[in-house]
Amino acid sequence: MSLLDHKKALLLCTGIILIGGGIFAVTAHSKTTKTTADQHLNLYQTATISSLDVAKITDNISSNALSQVGEGLYRLDANSQAQNALATKTTVSDHGHQYTINLRHDGKWSNGDPVTAQDFVYSWRRTLNPKSKSEFTYQFANIKNANAIAAGKKSPSTLGVKAVGKYQLKITLSQPASYFKKVLASTTYYPLDEKAVNKYGSKYGSSAKTTVYNGPFTLTNWSGTSDNWTLKKNPRYADKRAVKLQSINYKVIKDNTTAYNLYQSKKLDQVTLSGEQTTQNKNNPDLKSLAAGRIGFIQYNEHNRIAANKDLRTAISLAINRQQLTSTVLKNGSLPAKTFGVRNMMKNPQTGADFTVDANLKGTMDYAPSQAKHLYQRALKQLGKKSVTLTITCGNDDASQNIAEFVQSAITSKLGAKVDVRAMPFPSMLSNVSKGNFQLNLTSWGMDYADPIQSLQILQSTNNSNMGHYNSKTYDADLQAADGRDALNKTARYHDLVKAAQTALKDQAVTPLYESRTSSLVNPKVKGVVYNKFNGDADYRNAYVAN
């Protein structure tokens, strides 16, 4: 799947905040649980919902809300595997180019309308229509004519999807993708009730009253700008017997200390911790460390003569103690990176080993100061210099600056090079890096679904998000094989991706630093929440409060 044109805006996130469409994990079972406690939760977000219109959502908070009040063809289980939601049967034919999906007949919108195959066709065409100005049209790239429609070159009616009767959907792909069902679980692929959209017009999805729902919960008390809102159990939800909670009350709390204090006083059922708070609660049984589906790294501008030196880049990598970075700077459960990717993206089909283990390459990510110094001296000779001054561009938030200063100290103390940190507001950093006005850039990349291609693709020579201008024919060929010749051969595709990842490490195309994680305290009485092992997203479809 090619994510070339629309991912750029998501690349240069700081060490703390990621804006993205995201695919949200939900549980695959509907086991009945007897409970007598009040089935209400109190949670918080750091900002309000911006929209519940699938074509207009650009942020994580809105997508999270939509994932609770809406439902698509599939949902992801804790292992990021696609499970049937509205789909009942999927048939793949024509060498992976054709998907025929039967839908359940009891799906209902909150206004009483049935959820039909045409609701998906309408939603996808509308999102791809340039008039919608959706930032996530890239997610449709595998479907026939999607890219041309998004570019305004073809009509939305030419999209490779059609309703066959009321409850069957046929999708034609431009190229096969083994991970396509995972993509279909995204909130971007959720259906829309055309009648409701026509009724509310441009106001659809802008408030609780101008939105209809087909998921486990409905939304109330959201005016479009509200700092408080409530999810209530949806009586029309097809699988309503699986839903135990009667309500989830949200409030906007921007200050971490305030949220922490509210949790301590039992007024919140969950709180995300800062690094210091994580350290303070390291022995607290309520503590959970959750994956974030994001990799932090240094990218290099290879149009800059100094940054283009491979030995220099490798020297920088070997001078950084990643274990110390995660344990003394981040302190939030983040893990030292092993490759350009994160854990639980994919397992070896033959051995079951995690991709990050197989893709690791000795001598490229180790903490080896002596070897780093040797490579730095060799780089200086190649550059014809006695010393170099490096500049790290980063966001001006505390987390990014702390990481940048750690890297600065490592390079200065282990290599002897001078390093300047150039911190700036996120929009300014994005603008500078997009224009190539940087030497080293501290950044991170968040992945929409669990597959190594999600991170590896941004290093392809033709990818618009390859702002460091890394160019390797070997690398490109392996990725092309993974999503071309070997797309449906699990073992061959896995090895293509491993080879590509190791080539990137050998070339030090980027220097991976850490796998981002978050630490949270969760009320021990809250049971049945499923946390996705890949990105840590929580789903409350089967959650309940125990006595």
Side-chain angles (χ1 to χ4, degrees):
M1 183 175 187
S2 176
L3 309 183
L4 306 182
D5 299 325
H6 302 275
K7 200 71 175 183
K8 181 186 288 188
L10 306 183
L11 171 63
L12 300 169
C13 53
T14 65
I16 279 293
I17 299 173
L18 176 69
I19 298 175
I23 296 178
F24 297 88
V26 291
T27 183
H29 61 81
S30 56
K31 181 180 178 181
T32 300
T33 304
K34 294 182 179 180
T35 57
T36 56
D38 289 339
Q39 296 303 305
H40 307 282
L41 293 183
N42 295 308
L43 303 175
Y44 78 104
Q45 291 284 14
T46 56
T48 191
I49 300 168
S50 64
S51 177
L52 286 175
D53 185 336
V54 296
K56 296 179 181 178
I57 288 175
T58 60
D59 64 285
N60 192 48
I61 290 169
S62 299
S63 287
N64 194 338
L66 181 58
S67 73
Q68 308 294 345
V69 299
E71 186 157 79
L73 295 167
Y74 308 100
R75 64 177 66 98
L76 300 179
D77 63 16
N79 295 313
S80 295
Q81 299 305 305
Q83 306 293 333
N84 285 342
L86 282 169
T88 59
K89 179 182 178 182
T90 302
T91 303
V92 182
S93 58
D94 190 19
H95 305 288
H97 286 84
Q98 187 81 48
Y99 278 67
T100 302
I101 304 171
N102 293 343
L103 308 184
R104 43 189 310 166
H105 293 198
D106 56 356
K108 295 284 186 183
W109 292 102
S110 54
N111 61 4
D113 290 345
V115 180
T116 68
Q118 184 58 34
D119 292 342
F120 288 93
V121 176
Y122 169 73
S123 177
W124 302 357
R125 287 177 176 176
R126 179 174 175 270
T127 297
L128 280 166
N129 191 321
K131 292 180 181 179
S132 294
K133 298 180 180 179
S134 172
E135 293 187 15
F136 294 98
T137 56
Y138 69 84
Q139 286 199 9
F140 292 90
N142 264 96
I143 301 180
K144 183 179 178 181
N145 293 332
N147 288 340
I149 295 168
K153 296 178 180 179
K154 287 192 175 184
S155 166
S157 63
T158 65
L159 184 65
V161 60
K162 63 180 179 179
V164 182
K166 196 172 182 178
Y167 297 109
Q168 189 178 83
L169 200 63
K170 282 189 179 292
I171 308 170
T172 302
L173 304 190
S174 55
Q175 62 182 48
S178 58
Y179 48 82
F180 187 59
K181 286 176 69 173
K182 294 180 183 179
V183 179
L184 288 173
S186 167
T187 54
T188 304
Y189 276 91
Y190 277 14
L192 280 173
D193 183 359
E194 184 174 3
K195 187 174 80 173
V197 176
N198 288 336
K199 177 180 178 180
Y200 298 117
S202 61
K203 293 183 178 180
Y204 182 81
S206 64
S207 70
K209 292 181 179 179
T210 59
T211 310
V212 293
Y213 315 96
N214 74 322
F217 302 96
T218 61
L219 189 69
T220 61
N221 302 325
W222 175 61
S223 65
T225 58
S226 315
D227 281 347
N228 298 276
W229 61 88
T230 299
L231 301 184
K232 291 189 175 181
K233 181 175 179 177
N234 183 0
R236 294 187 186 273
Y237 180 53
D239 200 15
K240 59 181 178 291
R241 292 184 62 187
V243 183
K244 309 300 181 301
L245 293 174
Q246 292 301 315
S247 70
I248 305 177
N249 303 304
Y250 281 93
K251 63 174 61 179
V252 173
I253 303 174
K254 297 180 180 180
D255 181 67
N256 173 259
T257 301
T258 299
Y260 183 66
N261 290 337
L262 287 171
Y263 179 86
Q264 298 286 60
S265 60
K266 301 186 184 303
K267 293 180 180 179
L268 284 178
D269 290 301
Q270 178 273 337
V271 63
T272 300
L273 303 179
S274 67
E276 289 298 330
Q277 291 166 349
T278 301
T279 301
Q280 294 168 11
N281 287 276
K282 64 181 180 179
N283 296 320
N284 190 332
D286 296 359
L287 183 66
K288 288 185 179 294
S289 179
L290 303 173
R294 189 167 80 247
I295 183 78
F297 60 99
I298 301 169
Q299 66 176 341
Y300 303 91
N301 185 356
E302 295 200 30
H303 285 177
N304 176 278
R305 180 170 176 264
I306 294 174
N309 187 280
K310 174 185 168 183
D311 284 338
L312 174 65
R313 298 196 303 268
T314 305
I316 291 171
S317 181
L318 299 182
I320 298 171
N321 187 331
R322 292 166 175 79
Q323 184 61 56
Q324 189 177 27
L325 169 64
T326 56
S327 62
T328 66
V329 178
L330 295 172
K331 294 188 290 187
N332 59 1
S334 293
L335 301 170
K338 292 179 176 292
T339 190
F340 191 48
V342 300
R343 290 163 175 80
N344 294 308
M345 294 186 301
M346 183 180 285
K347 303 293 183 184
N348 187 319
Q350 296 172 308
T351 69
D354 193 85
F355 177 83
T356 57
V357 175
D358 286 344
N360 181 255
L361 188 64
K362 185 175 176 58
T364 62
M365 300 276 290
D366 314 284
Y367 177 52
S370 297
Q371 179 64 7
K373 183 72 171 179
H374 169 72
L375 288 172
Y376 176 62
Q377 292 300 324
R378 193 163 76 183
L380 290 179
K381 290 181 180 179
Q382 294 165 0
L383 294 167
K385 293 181 176 292
K386 293 183 179 180
S387 64
V388 295
T389 298
L390 304 172
T391 300
I392 300 175
T393 299
C394 68
N396 64 353
D397 60 282
D398 290 343
S400 292
Q401 290 190 76
N402 288 340
I403 298 169
E405 288 168 5
F406 179 87
V407 172
Q408 176 189 42
S409 176
I411 295 173
T412 300
S413 62
K414 304 306 177 186
L415 303 183
K418 181 181 178 182
V419 180
D420 296 326
V421 174
R422 186 183 178 210
M424 59 186 69
F426 172 74
S428 298
M429 186 187 77
L430 175 61
S431 177
N432 275 277
V433 174
S434 297
K435 295 174 182 176
N437 184 20
F438 76 101
Q439 189 179 45
L440 279 66
N441 174 227
L442 178 66
T443 186
S444 64
W445 177 263
M447 287 158 267
D448 292 323
Y449 52 87
D451 191 281
I453 198 71
Q454 279 276 283
S455 54
L456 298 179
Q457 65 189 344
I458 69 171
L459 297 179
Q460 284 181 290
S461 61
T462 56
N463 195 305
N464 285 352
S465 295
N466 180 8
M467 297 185 195
H469 307 289
Y470 172 65
N471 193 333
S472 166
K473 292 182 179 179
T474 300
Y475 185 88
D476 286 353
D478 284 333
L479 286 195
Q480 288 166 6
D483 271 2
R485 178 191 67 212
D486 299 330
L488 301 181
N489 184 325
K490 289 185 179 180
T491 299
R493 182 173 184 270
Y494 181 84
H495 290 300
D496 291 335
L497 294 172
V498 167
K499 286 193 296 180
Q502 291 186 338
T503 296
L505 289 182
K506 182 180 178 181
D507 294 343
Q508 209 61 211
V510 293
T511 294
L513 298 175
Y514 61 93
E515 293 183 36
S516 184
R517 296 181 71 88
T518 59
S519 292
S520 296
L521 295 179
V522 180
N523 180 350
K525 290 186 177 182
V526 178
K527 307 292 185 181
V529 182
V530 174
Y531 298 95
N532 188 283
K533 294 177 182 178
F534 163 66
N535 60 15
D537 285 321
D539 186 83
Y540 297 94
R541 178 175 178 268
N542 293 112
Y544 64 96
V545 181
N547 292 319

